[in-house]
Amino acid sequence: MFDTFTYRFLHFRRPTLTPSSLPSLPQGIERFFVDTPGGQIEVLHGKPSKQARHGATPLFFVHGGMGGAWVWLEYLSFFASRGIPCYAVSMRGHGSSWHPSYLRMVYFTTKRMLADDVVAGIKWVQKRHDGREVVYIGHSSGGGLGQYILSAPEFDHVKVKGLVLAGAVPGFGSLGVYINWWRLDPWFSFRMIFHGWHPNSPLSHPVLTRRVFFGEQLPGSYLMKFQQRASRYESFLWPLGMMSRFVKPENLLPRITSWGANKGQAIMVLGGEIDKIMTIPVMEKLANTYRESYTGLVAQKKIEGDDRDGIKKLLGDGGRDTVGQGVRCCYVPGAAHHLQNDVTWEIGAQKLLAFYEQL
């Protein structure tokens, strides 16, 4: 228990990033840098290993707290091998993007600033693909950020073809999620004090990271590599800005462009079956929030669809998946919060592929 009271994995200085010090990438993955007013942000690209699908919609992956574009490496390789254009962004302070100082990142970096980085990445990808809208896939707080971007008036120029919320912070607020976290870790508050309120304190040891992010089957070697690649420090204002309701579904849904009568779903909620913080009840409530909004907006003729569309069971691994009212809600059996990195990640990738192909 007291082994987790350590500073071994905590840092207070930004990393030194030079071309020679950048982490190596798997075969078929390439790194780009996009200029922003603050500095350069990293975008990873999965190069199609076979003939790229002509005119295919690009996938745009966004990480959550303490992550980076690297958390999507498995998915990038999976989709690139099927000829689907796919990209993952690292926001400032994450991955190989530019890093603010500790104080600037932790206490003065807002969710709006991080959203600006994401939007810069989206625009860059759209430019590479003749203006085609992306499918936005956001994990955890990155999923929360996607909902914020598509709901906020200041980003009304941003539209997407589809939205995937993977273990995402719910737009109705994440207070319950953090209560789940505190229940997992009775020493949460004491450890935060011991660590001088370092934002990485709740994940400051592999034991804690496994408890919150992964199942017991994940190999220890993978877990250690994950721990070592996690961001050195994180913004407090990002999660605090999502504690209470921060999204208006009636604003978000019209900014998705693939709605239409006799079409499939334009939103996917993807959860880990054994996720202990974004639990199944949280994901179900998130799916139902958008289903209710979809039905209302279709009835008001603000989006095109079928308000008589009922919720049906969807065949798939785990037996929990449902579809209807504009939303596909699926779960990855055997996966916890980091469903894209846990041992059954490929099941989630297959379910995402099925969603993509019906858009």
Side-chain angles (χ1 to χ4, degrees):
M1 176 180 65
F2 290 108
D3 290 345
T4 62
F5 283 74
T6 176
Y7 275 77
R8 177 184 172 189
F9 297 99
L10 295 181
H11 302 273
F12 293 86
R13 294 182 179 179
R14 70 188 92 189
T16 301
L17 296 175
T18 63
S20 62
S21 69
L22 296 179
S24 60
L25 296 172
Q27 184 177 359
I29 307 296
E30 58 185 342
R31 178 183 284 115
F32 295 94
F33 288 97
V34 177
D35 291 325
T36 72
Q40 291 188 322
I41 58 170
E42 174 189 43
V43 176
L44 300 184
H45 172 228
K47 294 187 292 184
S49 57
K50 65 177 185 179
Q51 183 65 36
R53 301 189 187 189
H54 179 70
T57 299
L59 298 174
F60 187 79
F61 294 94
V62 183
H63 63 85
M66 303 177 198
W70 56 271
V71 304
W72 295 108
L73 287 173
E74 287 91 344
Y75 272 43
L76 290 178
S77 296
F78 176 91
F79 285 99
S81 71
R82 287 156 177 80
I84 298 172
C86 50
Y87 301 83
V89 67
S90 292
M91 291 171 266
R92 69 187 72 185
H94 301 83
S96 298
S97 293
W98 75 277
H99 279 63
S101 68
Y102 179 86
L103 290 177
R104 184 178 173 188
M105 183 70 187
V106 173
Y107 295 107
F108 298 102
T109 297
T110 65
K111 73 175 185 288
R112 167 63 194 270
M113 295 174 182
L114 296 169
D116 286 337
D117 292 344
V118 171
V119 171
I122 291 174
K123 289 181 177 178
W124 183 83
V125 170
Q126 286 183 311
K127 187 175 180 179
R128 281 174 59 94
H129 290 271
D130 301 320
R132 286 195 293 276
E133 290 152 350
V134 304
V135 174
Y136 184 111
I137 305 102
H139 175 248
S140 196
S141 292
L145 211 56
Q147 295 167 82
Y148 164 67
I149 291 168
L150 294 174
S151 174
E154 57 266 36
F155 295 113
D156 61 3
H157 59 288
V158 179
K159 292 179 171 59
V160 298
K161 187 171 182 180
L163 175 64
V164 179
L165 303 173
V169 168
F172 52 78
S174 60
L175 180 59
V177 172
Y178 285 96
I179 290 174
N180 290 339
W181 197 328
W182 290 326
R183 286 171 177 163
L184 277 176
D185 181 9
W187 294 95
F188 186 106
S189 299
F190 294 102
R191 195 180 296 104
M192 284 289 291
I193 294 170
F194 175 77
H195 287 144
W197 296 98
H198 193 295
N200 288 25
S201 176
L203 298 169
S204 57
H205 192 280
V207 169
L208 301 173
T209 302
R210 181 187 292 278
R211 183 185 300 167
V212 178
F213 280 176
F214 297 106
E216 292 301 320
Q217 302 305 312
L218 188 81
S221 57
Y222 187 102
L223 177 64
M224 185 58 70
K225 289 178 182 178
F226 185 97
Q227 187 80 39
Q228 292 168 342
R229 292 199 71 171
S231 297
R232 292 191 165 203
Y233 38 79
E234 187 55 89
S235 164
F236 272 139
L237 298 181
W238 184 11
L240 287 174
M242 298 180 179
M243 282 289 186
S244 58
R245 182 176 298 275
F246 61 96
V247 171
K248 292 183 177 180
E250 65 272 19
N251 291 350
L252 183 151
L253 268 67
R255 305 252 293 272
I256 301 174
T257 62
S258 58
W259 300 118
N262 302 316
K263 288 190 176 181
Q265 303 77 47
I267 295 177
M268 180 182 197
V269 173
L270 184 63
E273 193 176 52
I274 58 172
D275 193 332
K276 303 180 188 71
I277 52 175
M278 309 292 183
T279 58
I280 288 177
V282 173
M283 294 293 96
E284 292 289 327
K285 183 177 178 181
L286 179 60
N288 290 336
T289 295
Y290 288 114
R291 282 171 169 160
E292 291 170 8
S293 184
Y294 168 87
T295 301
L297 290 174
V298 170
Q300 298 168 41
K301 301 188 183 305
K302 292 185 176 180
I303 60 173
E304 189 178 359
D306 184 357
D307 59 355
R308 298 167 298 176
D309 181 23
I311 300 172
K312 309 176 187 67
K313 283 282 189 181
L314 183 67
L315 293 177
D317 289 299
R320 295 180 178 270
D321 301 350
T322 58
V323 64
Q325 297 176 351
V327 178
R328 179 174 292 222
C329 184
C330 299
Y331 297 94
V332 184
H337 184 56
H338 259 269
L339 54 89
Q340 72 272 46
N341 305 113
D342 219 331
V343 292
T344 55
W345 68 266
E346 195 164 356
I347 296 175
Q350 291 283 1
K351 293 187 178 188
L352 175 55
L353 176 63
F355 169 79
Y356 175 85
E357 292 183 330
Q358 60 84 55
L359 278 173

